Amino acid sequence: MEPTELIKLSAAALAAKLAAGEVTSVAATQAYLDRIALVDGELHAFLHLNAEEALQVAAEVDADRAAGKALPELAGVPIAIKDLIVTKGQPTTAGSKILEGWVSPYDATVIEKIRAARMPILGKTNLDEFAMGSSTEHSAFGPTRNPWDLERIPGGSGGGSAAAVAGFEAPLALGTDTGGSIRQPAALCGIVGLKPTYGLVSRYGLVAVASSLDQIGPMTKTVTDNALVLNAIAGNDPNDSTSLNYSAPDYTKALTGDIKGLRIGVPREYFVEGMQPGVEKSVRDAIKVLEKLGAKLGEASLPSTPYAMAVYYIIA
């Protein structure tokens, strides 16, 4: 399979081809590293590349697969990591010169889970300094560009992870979300981003912004890919006192496409003055699709919405 086609596959499709022996993890990992070398000079999604280790993990996965060993579902599928999550043996800068050159002596719990899932880590992605920003223009190491239009921002603070996935530099990435740092760049780059329920994914090893709001979550090309990554990283962790004592289900089981009878409230306060016409059209088009699929739509009111930002800043 040509590298240019390989990097366009969803993670689920790549995992299926790996399992079937149609492609190797080394070939897939190298295809992404080659893509990074080709375009990241302009995008600047990555702050650090982990090429040698990624290829080594990929080769080990290929050898175990050839030997007939049972492997996790995403084994051999590469992933990028927001540089706010500590990763043993790699720099963690949080986008700041203060931490430049610091190499973590331990892995965050989510990184331990990614390693257990046998996923090659491509490198660490750019962000607004200490994740305080919404455009990835305020990294100490320079801004990240939106791969759809280099004159536009990718959102933030996790713009590096979003741009890496949207720019075909990685099939998957981890981001972090305090007040939108996964969801907003995912929206601006046209990918899928999820902030998990608080406590579902361990925060141990995350450089904190506001510990009562922070969560680590997946940034992916598709909803199925998002569920697969959540399967890999969710679960109780004794190292995080806010971790839920909860056995996470297989999130892919919910992807039936059947939403008949689902009740969805559309808050009137969310359609604000000054909303860009293209944004409003996209949201209303999505509402129509949900309705066509059988959901029951109704207008709702959240009258405290005007105070949301002020409250967020106090909590954060």
Side-chain angles (χ1 to χ4, degrees):
M1 191 172 191
E2 289 296 319
T4 51
E5 295 302 315
L6 194 57
I7 62 172
K8 293 178 183 176
L9 293 174
S10 68
L14 176 55
K17 287 190 177 295
L18 288 166
E22 295 175 22
V23 68
T24 66
S25 179
V26 166
T29 302
Q30 189 62 60
Y32 280 107
L33 290 169
D34 290 346
R35 173 68 175 177
I36 292 166
L38 181 66
V39 303
D40 205 61
E42 288 188 296
L43 290 185
H44 193 42
F46 282 87
L47 292 180
H48 169 73
L49 282 183
N50 186 46
E52 185 177 345
E53 183 193 284
L55 288 168
Q56 180 184 334
V57 171
E60 290 168 357
V61 169
D62 289 340
D64 285 349
R65 183 168 274 124
K69 293 183 181 179
L71 292 168
E73 190 164 7
L74 289 174
V77 178
I79 190 167
I81 308 295
K82 185 178 181 180
D83 202 26
L84 198 67
I85 302 168
V86 302
T87 311
K88 187 176 181 179
Q90 294 184 50
T92 299
T93 68
S96 176
K97 289 286 178 73
I98 295 171
L99 292 178
E100 187 175 19
W102 180 69
V103 175
S104 174
Y106 72 102
D107 278 330
T109 297
V110 289
I111 300 301
E112 289 180 348
K113 287 176 175 283
I114 291 298
R115 295 195 196 280
R118 308 290 299 278
M119 300 170 69
I121 296 172
L122 294 168
K124 309 294 288 291
T125 58
N126 200 12
L127 66 151
D128 290 292
E129 189 167 3
F130 286 107
M132 294 182 186
S134 55
S135 64
T136 319
E137 292 174 289
H138 304 294
S139 166
F141 305 103
T144 297
R145 309 291 182 185
N146 192 311
W148 297 101
D149 182 347
L150 298 177
E151 296 303 311
R152 295 177 185 267
I153 62 167
S157 62
S161 285
V165 174
F168 302 107
E169 294 181 295
L172 306 166
L174 289 186
T176 68
D177 194 313
T178 303
S181 289
I182 288 174
R183 295 161 290 167
Q184 184 251 25
L188 269 59
C189 289
I191 64 168
V192 180
L194 175 74
K195 180 180 186 179
T197 298
Y198 187 79
L200 184 63
V201 177
S202 172
R203 290 183 299 107
Y204 181 71
L206 171 64
V207 178
V209 179
S211 293
S212 61
L213 298 171
D214 298 341
Q215 277 293 279
I216 298 170
M219 303 179 78
T220 63
K221 290 186 179 81
T222 70
V223 173
T224 298
D225 289 357
N226 219 272
L228 288 170
V229 177
L230 192 59
N231 281 349
I233 65 174
N236 180 256
D237 178 18
N239 289 320
D240 179 354
S241 63
T242 63
S243 179
L244 294 173
N245 187 14
Y246 172 72
S247 296
D250 178 354
Y251 292 101
T252 64
K253 300 294 186 190
L255 304 180
T256 63
D258 182 10
I259 59 168
K260 288 184 177 66
L262 180 70
R263 295 176 65 209
I264 299 175
V266 181
R268 67 173 71 100
E269 291 85 0
Y270 283 13
F271 293 90
V272 295
E273 186 179 346
M275 191 175 188
Q276 289 183 321
V279 172
E280 181 169 357
K281 182 181 184 304
S282 292
V283 174
R284 294 200 184 278
D285 286 349
I287 290 168
K288 287 175 186 174
V289 171
L290 293 169
E291 199 162 27
K292 191 181 291 185
L293 292 172
K296 295 181 178 177
L297 276 293
E299 188 176 70
S301 178
L302 296 173
S304 297
T305 297
Y307 311 111
M309 284 302 295
V311 171
Y312 165 74
Y313 281 124
I314 292 167
I315 295 169

